[in-house]
Amino acid sequence: MHQSILQYAIRVPLAIAILLTPLPAVAQDYPPFGDPEDWAMFDRYSSERRELSGQGRLDPHWLDGGRRFWYVSTEAGDDVIVLVDPASGAADPLIDLARLRPALESAGVEATPESELPVQSLSLDQGDRIARIQVAGRTFDLDLNLYQLTAVPGEAGTASESDSLPGPLAPDGSKVAFLRDGNVWVRFLDEGREVQLTSDAEEFLRYTISGGWARIGAPWSPDSRYLVLERSDRRDMGKTPVVDWLSPSEDVTYSTRYSELQTSYPHEVFYWDSETGEVAAVDLPRPQQGHGWVTVLGWGRESSRLFIGRSTATVRLVEVFDVHVPDGASGLILSETGPILPQAGGFRVLEDGFLWASDRDGYRHLYRYDTSGRLLAKLTHGEIWVVEDVVAVDEDTGWVYFRAYADPDRPYDMHFCRVRLDGTGYAVLTTEKGWHSVTLSPDRAYFLDRHSSIERPPRTDLRRSDGAFVRALRETDIGLLRERLGWVDAEEFVVTAADGETDLWGALFKPYDFDPSKKYPVVLMVYTTFYPSYGPLFGGGNPRNYAQLGFITLDLALRGEYGARSREFAASLYGRLGCCEHDDVAAALTQLAADRPWMDLDRVGVLGGSWGGYHAARFLLMKPELFKVGIAERAWMDPTELGSMEIWMGSREENPSGYARLSNLPLAPRLEGKLLFVVNLADAGGAVSSTFRMIDALIREGKPYDLLVVPGRLGAPDARLSGRASDRSRRVLNCVGLDFALKST
């Protein structure tokens, strides 16, 4: 469910079928609308935004244990590797890539495109006069004065070796784990010997050797003796048929995704002992409320301890177990209750315990526990911010580095912070408003801070670990944006929800040729993610695509969405989704248009995919006087079918009235505007069936609708199935434009 419409919206070809109106074949062009220059700007933005999104960004490669790093600079026509010394603040050209490429070709290395970095790794020697570089699995010494290459015999490129490993490598480098035909194997690298650990895998009985829910820690124990693996059993779940209609004869596979309660299947944890060769199951107590999420949280510092997390399907109970690996016995050491998930991003193993993030006091803070589950300290405090995740822990110095929504006046700004393990010394290390993405040096002495806001373009700064500014390294060329994309800065806004109390934040995007004396139709991008950064060119959804065509587009964070908001705010729609989101959006549009006469509220449309597609239809059904056009892509019109809804709605037994109000199907008689459904017939998520049931309800009521059918798989790697991006985007947007009426009217 958690995907923007634009993740898929410009990737596949389409065939359109409109009720009672046969259309020509896919290759037929539909009548264009608007100014051809608008389409030219739309195409230019779509093709160039990724290139320009690199402005202000750099990818650091650390040297000397973190004392220095290098990065590639292509700004202002440069094509060089820059060496940075954080202690002195120096940032000097190290390698001219324009000179390196022909030298590599002369040495027999195949030429690489200028857009690709020809160096996988780099180290310096002889007073920085010689750079040892690894390229395409070969190692060379590069004389930085003469640009002469000397092959280093017998030394393979470690980067390419690491990339070729089939799975996670043990800490001591002796063995690697991987999947073969669904089963778990281990290869002993020195011997070349392989051992098969499991043999019962089948289509719906699957093994994984990754971190699962927490995505932290490695599957190997610190001493490389034990390997943890997980098995999910979905054989008894209902199956959804997935049909590839592009095959000569229909190719049918089956999926369990969303077919029943997503969390309603056994999920077990095992571990393999490399010394005994035994595979044993972790013995967890029987869950109180049926199957829920079970995942590996991480290994303790001693290899005999493994932390396992588990929750109920409704996430009303989250538990942490301490597993004694030699015998598989487990003990409950922590439990949390409540409707909001205590996210595992705050879990981190310590020498004498672990960190845990919880919103138990109303805001999401960090807590420190010992290995028995005894609370030692609450590390963060206050009612103004929320911890997102732990970036690093330096137990030698006692600092915890983490990301958090840390500004009480700007609840969606992401900052980098630190606090001591005893709860003292809390500080916000980034200063500018907006969104901060941080890379911490391996020695935790410095960090790189790429930051921007709605009004301020991205810049990357170098700072010390205490937040002290060292220097700026890269900045975005705004002139290039304005020249090539007709860039008009977005506008951040704050409005009040329909309850008259809650602040709602968002961003407004204008066309490249915006004229305040004109009136523009308004498009709401629903279920995208609002970031207070310099436009979705640099992350998040992509409402500017539509703005380039002459629309005012909006990104709006609704009640209950993320940010530095309270637990009460996050739970404000718990158990009653679909109740009032349309009222909040209507209130926001009315407030925005009050002092923006160029917003035409007689021409308002809404776009959304997945959960956003549900809302696109629901907004038209609940507010027909405001919303005139909607595009609902890959949408569940009746979300009561989804087991994942229990996370936000509670169980069906506990909340029958909430589920009864959730479906769009009973609202079919209310449709007045233009509603376009977009489905792909190979959807594994079950949205096709849900959409067709909505169409059936509309037919019964005599309501017209539009239907756009994609025969292949959305996002499929096969070009035959995924199709051409521009073809799809033009035609979807044509539907929007034609329904809104031409810009010239």
Side-chain angles (χ1 to χ4, degrees), residues 327-340:
D327 58 21
S330 64
L332 178 67
I333 58 174
L334 186 148
S335 64
E336 292 271 3
T337 58
I340 305 303

Side-chain angles (χ1 to χ4, degrees), residues 685-729:
V688 176
S689 175
S690 185
T691 296
F692 285 161
R693 284 195 289 278
M694 185 73 217
I695 289 174
D696 179 63
L698 293 172
I699 291 174
R700 292 176 185 275
E701 298 295 333
K703 296 292 184 178
Y705 64 91
D706 294 335
L707 174 63
L708 184 156
V709 178
V710 179
R713 290 185 177 92
L714 292 173
D718 185 344
R720 180 179 66 87
L721 297 178
S722 61
R724 293 170 297 171
S726 60
D727 205 34
R728 171 112 183 261
S729 59

